[in-house]
Amino acid sequence: MDLYNKRKRWKLIIVVLAMIISALSLLYTNFIVEGLKAEERKKMELYAFALKKFAESDDLEADMSLVTEIITHNTTVPLVLTSVEDSILAFVNFNPKKSTDEKFMKRELEKIKSAREPIIISLANNEQQKVYYKDSTVLTLLFWYPFVQIAVFALFIMLGYIAFSNSRKAEQNRVWIGMSKETAHQLGTPISSLMAWMEILKAYPDLNSYTPEIQKDIERLDVIARRFSKIGSLPDLVPEPINEVMGTAINYMQYRTPEGVSFSYTSAIDDNTQINLNRSLFEWVIENVIRNSVDAMQGKGEIKFELGATGKKVFIDITDTGKGMPKRIQKTIFSPGFTTKKRGWGLGLSLSKRIIENYHNGKIFVKLSEINKGTTIRILLNL
C-alpha cells in the first residue's frame, strides 16, 4: 500500500503544480489584457474626439494634420460609427468581403453593443453620434494566449508524465523479471535435492504412506519455479480444454483453503472447447484470484466459478462473498504494489493482469463489487 500511495502522491503533486502554474499564467495575462483594454478605450476616446473636431471644422485652411493622423492611424481596432438610433454611418477594420453584407454588419454591431458601452460624440449642431469598437486583433490574440500556453504546457506535462511512467514501469518490470528468474534459480537447488531424498524415502516401505503427498508438494514447487522462470519471456500457448484446466486449478486450491470456504462451479461451455493457453501461468492467475477472494472473506464464505461464451470470447466469472471494495480502488487493485494486507508486495493481481492481457491477449477486470456483499472478477479470453 505504501508504494502505491507514494506514486499516487507524486501524481497529485504534479497535477497541483500544473494547476498553480496555469492559474498564475491566467491571472498575469488577464492583468495585461485588462491594462491594454483600458489603454484601448483611451485611444478610442481620442479617436472619437478627433472625429468630432473633423466634423466641426469649417475652416478648410485649418491644420487638421494631427486630427487626420489620429483617424487614419487606427488600422487594427474594428470600429463602427452610428447615429443616435444606431443606424450605421461608417465602419473600419472589418472583414472586407463580409462587411459588404448589411446583415453581417448589423450582427457585428449587436455583438459589440452587448459587450461594451459606446463612446458618445456631441457635435456642434446638438447632434450626437456613437462610436462602437471591438477588441483589436492583438488584444484578441492575447486573450487566447494563456489558453494556448496552458494547452502546450499541459501537453508537455502529459508527455513528461507518460515518459516518467513508462520509465518507472520499465524499471519495475526489469526488477520483477530479475527477481522472478532469481527466485526460479534459487528454488531449483532445493527442489533437485528434495527429489533425490524422495528416491531414498521410497526405499523404506514404512514411509510409503507419506511419500505421495510429499511428491505432490515437490512437483508443485517445480511448477512454481517454472512459472517464475517464464516471467519476462513470451510463453508458448497451446490449445487446452478450458473446463479441465479450470477444474484442476480449483481442485488444487480447494484442498488448500480453510474449511469455511466452499466452491461451486458451473459451465455453459462444452468440455471439448479449447483455448490457447499457457497452462502453468493461467492456473497461477486462477490461484491468485482465489487467494484474494479467500482473504476478502477472511476464511469463511463461498466462491462461485461461472464459465460461458459471448461472441468470440469465453468469460470466466469468479465471485466471492467477501467484504467487497469501493469503486475508487476497483481499477487500482491490478496496479503493482497495491495491497490492503499488512503482508505481501501487492504483485499477485498485477502479475495476473500481465499474464492475461500481455501473454494471452485477454482481459481481467472487476465486473462488480458491493461493500459487504462480495466481488466478481471477470476474465475474458479469445475462442
Side-chain angles (χ1 to χ4, degrees):
M1 191 71 174
D2 289 339
L3 179 62
Y4 173 77
N5 283 334
K6 284 180 180 178
R7 289 206 309 271
K8 198 171 182 180
R9 195 177 301 119
W10 272 109
K11 291 177 183 178
L12 182 62
I13 290 172
I14 291 172
V15 171
V16 170
L17 284 175
M19 290 176 67
I20 291 173
I21 293 171
S22 300
L24 290 174
S25 177
L26 277 173
L27 288 171
Y28 181 68
T29 308
N30 186 64
F31 173 76
I32 295 174
V33 168
E34 290 302 318
L36 287 174
K37 280 184 177 180
E39 192 69 25
E40 209 161 77
R41 177 78 181 185
K42 291 178 181 178
K43 289 180 179 179
M44 288 303 99
E45 288 174 351
L46 182 61
Y47 184 91
F49 179 76
L51 284 177
K52 178 182 177 182
K53 287 292 183 184
F54 191 82
E56 291 177 345
S57 177
D58 294 327
D59 187 357
L60 297 176
E61 295 181 358
D63 186 4
M64 300 294 292
S65 59
L66 179 59
V67 171
T68 305
E69 177 68 19
I70 293 172
I71 294 173
T72 57
H73 185 70
N74 175 33
T75 58
T76 59
V77 180
L79 181 148
V80 181
L81 180 67
T82 72
S83 65
V84 175
E85 294 80 15
D86 288 333
S87 296
I88 297 176
L89 303 176
F91 55 84
V92 291
N93 300 326
F94 283 89
N95 188 308
K97 294 181 180 179
K98 293 183 178 181
S99 60
T100 56
D101 184 355
E102 186 178 343
K103 291 182 179 179
F104 169 79
M105 288 307 304
K106 285 182 177 180
R107 287 196 300 269
E108 287 296 303
L109 179 59
E110 291 301 319
K111 291 178 185 178
I112 299 172
K113 286 168 64 176
S114 63
R116 58 170 55 87
E117 292 295 321
I119 297 171
I120 306 298
I121 303 175
S122 298
L123 302 176
N125 55 4
N126 294 324
E127 291 184 8
Q128 286 187 332
Q129 293 178 345
K130 297 178 183 178
V131 175
Y132 291 96
Y133 69 95
K134 292 173 65 176
D135 290 337
S136 64
T137 306
V138 174
L139 196 58
T140 303
L141 292 174
L142 189 60
F143 174 79
W144 290 108
Y145 172 73
F147 298 101
V148 175
Q149 189 180 31
I150 289 169
V152 172
F153 185 74
L155 179 63
F156 275 107
I157 288 287
M158 183 179 68
L159 292 175
Y161 177 77
I162 291 172
F164 177 73
S165 297
N166 289 339
S167 175
R168 286 181 59 85
K169 286 179 182 178
E171 184 180 354
Q172 289 172 347
N173 286 337
R174 287 194 295 270
V175 171
W176 293 334
I177 291 168
M179 289 173 60
S180 298
K181 293 189 178 297
E182 180 63 20
T183 301
H185 177 72
Q186 293 294 334
L187 284 171
T189 302
I191 289 172
S192 299
S193 178
L194 286 170
M195 287 180 175
W197 281 109
M198 273 298 300
E199 294 303 317
I200 295 172
L201 288 174
K202 288 177 182 178
Y204 296 88
D206 295 341
L207 300 175
N208 282 349
S209 60
Y210 302 103
T211 54
E213 291 304 316
I214 296 174
Q215 181 67 39
K216 288 180 182 178
D217 286 333
I218 291 174
E219 290 172 358
R220 186 64 186 173
L221 282 172
D222 186 48
V223 169
I224 292 170
R226 282 188 280 111
R227 284 176 178 173
F228 276 103
S229 68
K230 291 175 182 176
I231 297 298
S233 56
L234 195 63
D236 295 325
L237 304 181
V238 296
E240 296 278 4
I242 186 64
N243 280 327
E244 194 269 326
V245 173
M246 286 293 299
T248 301
I250 293 168
N251 288 335
Y252 175 81
M253 291 300 295
Q254 192 168 7
Y255 292 103
R256 287 161 178 79
T257 53
E259 293 182 358
V261 177
S262 62
F263 290 73
S264 65
Y265 180 86
T266 58
S267 176
I269 297 175
D270 188 86
D271 287 341
N272 295 322
T273 301
Q274 294 187 329
I275 303 290
N276 286 329
L277 299 173
N278 181 283
R279 185 177 187 129
S280 177
L281 291 178
F282 181 75
E283 288 179 353
W284 194 5
V285 172
I286 302 303
E287 292 167 17
N288 279 331
V289 175
I290 291 173
R291 287 193 188 95
N292 276 275
S293 293
V294 171
D295 290 337
M297 297 186 299
Q298 298 180 334
K300 188 176 181 180
E302 182 183 8
I303 302 177
K304 296 179 181 180
F305 300 85
E306 181 183 356
L307 269 71
T310 171
K312 295 183 178 181
K313 294 184 181 294
V314 166
F315 67 83
I316 302 165
D317 287 347
I318 304 173
T319 304
D320 62 55
T321 55
K323 56 188 178 182
M325 67 184 80
K327 286 186 177 180
R328 60 185 174 82
I329 68 168
Q330 288 181 16
K331 290 185 178 180
T332 56
I333 63 170
F334 297 100
S335 300
F338 180 88
T339 178
T340 57
K341 296 178 286 188
K342 293 182 179 179
R343 297 179 62 186
W345 289 0
L347 297 180
L349 288 178
S350 174
L351 286 171
S352 298
K353 184 178 178 69
R354 183 187 181 97
I355 291 168
I356 293 296
E357 298 189 357
N358 292 11
Y359 295 162
H360 291 84
N361 295 320
K363 291 286 182 184
I364 181 170
F365 55 91
V366 177
K367 179 187 176 187
L368 178 68
S369 187
E370 295 184 63
I371 302 297
N372 298 324
K373 289 187 177 181
T375 299
T376 298
I377 299 291
R378 168 163 284 195
I379 298 171
L380 286 175
L381 297 170
N382 296 317
L383 275 170

